[in-house]
Amino acid sequence: SGTAGRPITFKNVSGRVVLDRDSKVGLSIENSKFFRLTGTGDPTQEYGFFVLGTYDIGLDIHYRSTDFEVDHVEVKNSVTPGIHTSTRANCPDGNDRFMYDYDGDGVAQGDKDDITTHDNFVQRNSVFHDNFVKNVGWEGFYVGANYTSLDSPDEHPDVSYCPQRPLNPALEDVRIYNNTTVNTGREGINIKGTPQSCQIYENVVDKYGQDSSNTKQKGGIVIGYN
């Protein structure tokens, strides 16, 4: 965690950082704030971070991460979204796949302090610029989440301290500009749950909606609550 005046910067040095494996996430940033991930550490490389492997998600910024900037990152061949960011509502009852030890006390299950909903967290100042996403199975950029948090009524059992069907946290101040997406199975850029200050401009979105088995998600840029 940095501060607004002194964000933490992660940068490549003397060449490219290449992530080329087959696993769940190429690069994951969790429970962090006031940081910048930038691939500008070598002037000979346009994209200093290269997520190449067949990961489920290329770059995932989640679990209450907020106030960040990502630039000059290339993602290729991800199975689902190339670049993803959101925080999902949860209840730390042991049955929630979004359960996380947010307060760092070593206890995740049963810790009421780790409950996250629309009421107690807002993801602010999410900035993506000068990135390149190509050949991914789902969205190039998937930013935010449906306001409705549960995939099924049985995902949260009736536990006294669990919020019942909570809404997912919202986003404020999203900026996505000067990025390129090419050959995405679904939308090139998909924004959800961002009711305030959503700016998308000067991007190139090419060959979107290429997954013929998906008949609904065919747009280039989609903005909505759900």
Side-chain angles (χ1 to χ4, degrees), residues 10-183:
F10 300 92
K11 182 168 62 174
N12 63 304
V13 177
S14 300
R16 231 179 176 193
V17 176
V18 180
L19 302 169
D20 186 6
R21 292 292 178 91
D22 181 1
S23 62
K24 186 175 180 180
V25 182
L27 179 57
S28 178
I29 300 175
E30 305 174 357
N31 199 19
S32 302
K33 61 185 178 182
F34 297 112
F35 64 89
R36 181 186 179 192
L37 176 68
T38 178
T40 56
D42 185 334
T44 68
Q45 301 291 334
E46 184 174 5
Y47 304 104
F49 286 92
F50 186 23
V51 184
L52 174 62
T54 52
Y55 301 100
D56 286 350
I57 302 173
L59 169 62
D60 198 3
I61 302 174
H62 55 151
Y63 290 129
R64 287 192 192 173
S65 291
T66 185
D67 294 278
F68 59 81
E69 178 182 1
V70 175
D71 62 276
H72 296 88
V73 174
E74 181 176 356
V75 177
K76 187 177 180 180
N77 299 338
S78 297
V79 177
T80 55
I83 295 177
H84 172 267
T85 181
S86 72
T87 292
R88 301 272 184 167
N90 77 326
C91 182
D93 55 19
N95 295 292
D96 192 319
R97 68 180 185 274
F98 301 115
M99 187 173 69
Y100 189 86
D101 182 17
Y102 285 109
D103 57 9
D105 64 356
V107 178
Q109 185 171 340
D111 189 344
K112 298 178 184 179
D113 292 333
D114 291 328
I115 293 174
T116 301
T117 73
H118 180 274
D119 296 327
N120 67 6
F121 176 74
V122 178
Q123 181 175 323
R124 295 185 168 90
N125 301 315
S126 306
V127 181
F128 296 92
H129 65 91
D130 297 285
N131 301 292
F132 182 42
V133 180
K134 184 178 182 180
N135 298 344
V136 297
W138 288 12
E139 299 85 354
F141 287 82
Y142 194 106
V143 177
N146 296 340
Y147 267 5
T148 304
S149 65
L150 302 184
D151 296 328
S152 69
D154 299 327
E155 191 167 329
H156 287 292
D158 186 13
V159 178
S160 60
Y161 63 81
C162 285
Q164 295 302 306
R165 298 192 68 83
L167 298 179
N168 281 317
L171 285 74
E172 294 179 1
D173 299 309
V174 170
R175 284 192 292 145
I176 301 178
Y177 64 95
N178 289 348
N179 302 283
T180 299
T181 69
V182 180
N183 196 29

